[in-house]
Amino acid sequence: MNKAFVKESDNDEDDDLPESQALPAGTKNYMTVTGYRALNDELMRLMNVERPEVVSVVSWAASNGDRSENGDYLYGKKRLREIDRRIRYLTRRLESAEVVDPAQQPSRDQVFFGATVHYCDSRGEEFTVTIVGVDEAEPLAGKISWVSPVARALIKAHEGDTVTLRTPSGIEELDILDVVYPDP
């Protein structure tokens, strides 16, 4: 079918990153060892397990005849495009990754990439966050990207420091209670 009639393009622009995973210009794609391993495991699973299974189903469905009304064939081709798109995305992200092992951090009372920081805000609410790579961020699980506003406010501060966080609702003061790194 002609590309003019479907929502597909010939280039890789459909592989563009979600806005939340874009890196600032000129920065490296920092990633923890755990995050790198998780992305690499996902890539291997897609290439060695899922893609071959879908290719098998599509091949079987194509052999059944009329492809225009064959649900297995149509869904399989769509799923194959999704898998290929994710494989391209993961490959690019892993190639550009700068793996950092937080356990090797020599200055353990200062906040850097990979630190777990316990802090409280001006209302007295306490929070614990771990500063991780853009691809590893899970804010609801307490893992924030190193490019997030909170992480940028915390980075380079020491235990006991008070840092300023600029938010849409105004300036917020954060008191750093504890900085922890994984054991080497």
Side-chain angles (χ1 to χ4, degrees), residues 3-168:
K3 297 273 186 192
F5 297 106
V6 293
K7 290 184 177 180
E8 292 179 17
S9 63
D10 287 328
N11 58 22
D12 286 343
E13 288 188 28
D14 56 346
D15 297 337
D16 284 344
L17 302 175
E19 193 66 33
S20 63
Q21 292 185 330
L23 293 168
T27 61
K28 295 182 179 180
N29 182 19
Y30 293 110
M31 203 176 289
T32 64
V33 176
T34 306
Y36 184 87
R37 194 173 301 126
L39 288 183
N40 194 48
D41 290 348
E42 180 184 356
L43 177 62
M44 292 301 116
R45 182 181 45 78
L46 286 172
M47 288 179 11
N48 299 328
V49 178
E50 284 191 43
R51 191 174 195 289
E53 287 174 359
V54 173
V55 166
S56 169
V57 169
V58 169
S59 175
W60 167 82
S63 69
N64 288 337
D66 185 12
R67 296 177 185 169
S68 65
E69 295 181 12
N70 187 331
D72 287 329
Y73 178 80
L74 296 174
Y75 174 76
K77 292 292 283 185
K78 180 178 186 259
R79 180 68 184 132
L80 199 53
R81 284 190 302 273
E82 292 168 355
I83 290 171
D84 288 343
R85 185 176 300 124
R86 183 69 179 165
I87 287 172
R88 284 191 305 270
Y89 169 79
L90 290 172
T91 301
R92 281 199 319 267
R93 294 304 273 195
L94 290 170
E95 286 172 354
S96 69
E98 181 82 23
V99 180
V100 176
D101 186 359
Q104 303 302 318
Q105 181 56 249
S107 180
R108 292 178 144 332
D109 68 331
Q110 192 172 9
V111 180
F112 291 108
F113 182 85
T116 298
V117 183
H118 186 73
Y119 69 91
C120 74
D121 63 11
S122 56
R123 294 178 302 282
E125 290 183 63
E126 294 188 9
F127 300 91
T128 301
V129 295
T130 302
I131 300 172
V132 296
V134 173
D135 297 307
E136 311 170 69
E138 294 180 47
L140 297 177
K143 294 180 178 182
I144 61 171
S145 164
W146 67 274
V147 297
S148 70
V150 173
R152 286 184 173 211
L154 294 172
I155 287 181
K156 294 189 181 176
H158 292 84
E159 283 184 24
D161 285 355
T162 299
V163 296
T164 303
L165 171 66
R166 297 186 188 283
T167 66

